[in-house]
Amino acid sequence: MPFLYADLLLIALVTSLMLALPALARPTLPFGVRVGVQRVDDPAVISARRLYARLIVLVAVLGAGTSILVLLVTGSAMAIGVTATAVIVVDLLLFSRAHQAVRTAKLSGGWAAERRQGVTVDTTFRTDPVRVPWRWGLPALVVLLLTLGVGWARYAGLPATLPSFLGYGTASVQREPTTVLNAFQPVIYQLAITVIVLATVLAALRARPDLDAARPRGSARRYRVYLRGVAAMSLLSAACLNLGLFFAALRLWEIVTPAPVWQAAVYAPLAVLLGGWLMWEITVGQAGHRLPALPGEEAEDSGVGQRDDDRHWFLAGAVYANRRDPALLVHARLGSSSWTLNLGHPIAWLLLGALTVALLVFAGLALAGAVDLPEKHGIF
């Protein structure tokens, strides 16, 4: 029964995510296709949305029914991964189908030629950029220092061996020698999370604003508010991740005994993190388009359509590649509060190459035995 509940929960989560993707996107970006404000409620767009939602729900029902039968017959936990993977693959294919349907309607109807195309540039994002809200980063720093202080005080009294640290859990049956590196793994993870989140925030704040040429002033104001919120939420996310690692460190250092209440304490900050981002996405939307309009903004229309750049987006709007675009980081079309690399930029390939080399080196060290991987796969 636990396997069955886990499988159904996973299918429900995947289905909810796939239903939310088109709902959270800008109205002018249905399924990753750029359309003008005059075509947001076009019958072709509405039909694609409705059919996509119905098919996603149908796939979820079929997947749940199939997994129930397989689990009842075999009782194997492998059915969870197989069924969920199949649902994800089919859902992605359905999204691609909806993307192609809208794109076909756009090309056949000549939507791009209905308005003069252009872009909106707001130079105040350079002369008066959105600053990093440092005060929202203080909780993450406080939790990191607290973990370091507790670990420093506890280090002298640690036993000769420690349970293997798995990120947000420990393997009590697998123990490792007590060394500074093994003992302070939670602090190292916290430091890495804090630095990565801060670097991501800095990059997002300096990325090119995603503004609407049809509503230049309103979209610029909303995007500025949106950026401030994304920066604050990201820094608070680092605090939640660090807090979960702090509770996991208490188990690693055997300050607390392995009990369900402490395991729940490890996951509670992660649940708060997911819930917070979900509420943020629903309230704000992609690039802040759901934020309330000020007087006069609702009726704003410059008469200009956003420049059609669909030819530079691939895989249903998931990948961007434009050699003529000097921007390294651009706002993603899929999802909401996310950015993606411009694969037409040489630096993007340098970054991906460096990441690939680092992963290959780590894999080589692991195969050579220089790096010990935990027996339990995953961070949980």
Side-chain angles (χ1 to χ4, degrees):
M1 290 301 289
F3 290 154
L4 178 59
Y5 293 147
D7 189 37
L8 295 179
L9 178 60
L10 188 56
I11 292 175
L13 290 175
V14 170
T15 302
S16 300
L17 175 62
M18 295 306 297
L19 288 174
L21 273 180
L24 294 176
R26 277 184 175 184
T28 54
L29 283 174
F31 300 102
V33 180
R34 176 81 67 184
V35 301
V37 292
Q38 75 280 6
R39 290 291 182 174
V40 167
D41 297 323
D42 189 88
V45 175
I46 295 176
S47 175
R49 289 184 183 276
R50 290 176 178 174
L51 182 59
Y52 170 80
R54 291 169 183 169
L55 292 177
I56 289 294
V57 173
L58 178 61
V59 169
V61 172
L62 293 177
T66 303
S67 63
I68 291 174
L69 292 177
V70 173
L71 284 172
L72 291 178
V73 173
T74 65
S76 174
M78 292 183 62
I80 299 177
V82 173
T83 306
T85 301
V87 170
I88 292 173
V89 170
V90 175
D91 285 353
L92 291 176
L93 291 176
L94 290 176
F95 189 94
S96 178
R97 178 186 179 278
H99 167 88
Q100 192 59 42
V102 176
R103 183 170 171 80
T104 300
K106 173 184 175 179
L107 294 175
S108 61
W111 296 359
E114 293 176 344
R115 285 193 173 200
R116 181 170 57 89
Q117 297 183 16
V119 295
T120 295
V121 178
D122 188 345
T123 57
T124 61
F125 281 95
R126 289 292 177 264
T127 58
D128 183 24
V130 177
R131 312 290 179 181
V132 178
W134 295 106
R135 65 180 182 276
W136 294 105
L138 290 178
L141 180 60
V142 168
V143 175
L144 190 156
L145 295 177
L146 175 63
T147 309
L148 178 62
V150 173
W152 185 269
R154 173 63 175 155
Y155 183 73
L158 290 176
T161 60
L162 293 173
S164 293
F165 189 65
L166 305 176
Y168 288 91
T170 56
S172 56
V173 297
Q174 183 182 358
R175 301 185 70 88
E176 299 175 349
T178 300
T179 62
V180 174
L181 184 61
N182 289 336
F184 286 92
Q185 283 185 80
V187 179
I188 297 173
Y189 288 176
Q190 288 176 332
L191 181 61
I193 288 172
T194 304
V195 172
I196 291 174
V197 169
L198 181 58
T200 303
V201 168
L202 288 170
L205 294 182
R206 297 298 177 266
R208 183 179 59 207
D210 186 16
L211 307 182
D212 187 357
R215 295 166 180 168
R217 288 201 289 184
S219 63
R221 183 194 62 81
R222 287 188 179 97
Y223 194 81
R224 186 176 287 272
V225 176
Y226 163 78
L227 268 187
R228 293 195 190 103
V230 168
M233 286 292 297
S234 299
L235 294 175
L236 289 176
S237 299
C240 291
L241 294 172
N242 286 354
L243 186 59
L245 286 170
F246 169 72
F247 289 125
L250 296 181
R251 296 181 60 185
L252 172 68
W253 299 327
E254 299 183 344
I255 298 176
V256 298
T257 57
V261 63
W262 287 108
Q263 190 62 39
V266 171
Y267 295 141
L270 305 182
V272 171
L273 170 62
L274 294 176
W277 273 110
L278 178 61
M279 293 301 298
W280 164 263
E281 300 290 355
I282 294 175
T283 304
V284 177
Q286 189 180 48
H289 77 271
R290 292 185 179 222
L291 290 171
L294 294 181
E297 289 182 351
E298 196 65 40
E300 182 185 13
D301 189 351
S302 66
V304 178
Q306 189 70 20
R307 183 177 58 189
D308 186 11
D309 57 352
D310 285 351
R311 65 185 182 279
H312 300 303
W313 289 90
F314 305 91
L315 297 179
V319 176
Y320 181 71
N322 184 0
R323 293 182 179 181
R324 296 184 178 182
D325 190 346
L328 174 62
L329 204 63
V330 296
H331 202 282
R333 287 193 172 185
L334 299 186
S336 183
S337 302
S338 58
W339 283 258
T340 186
L341 289 173
N342 174 14
L343 296 185
H345 201 293
I347 295 181
W349 288 104
L350 290 177
L351 294 175
L352 293 176
L355 178 61
T356 302
V357 170
L359 292 176
L360 290 176
V361 169
F362 181 81
L365 292 175
L367 292 175
V371 177
D372 294 328
L373 298 178
E375 292 181 358
K376 181 178 179 180
H377 300 286
I379 63 174
F380 300 105

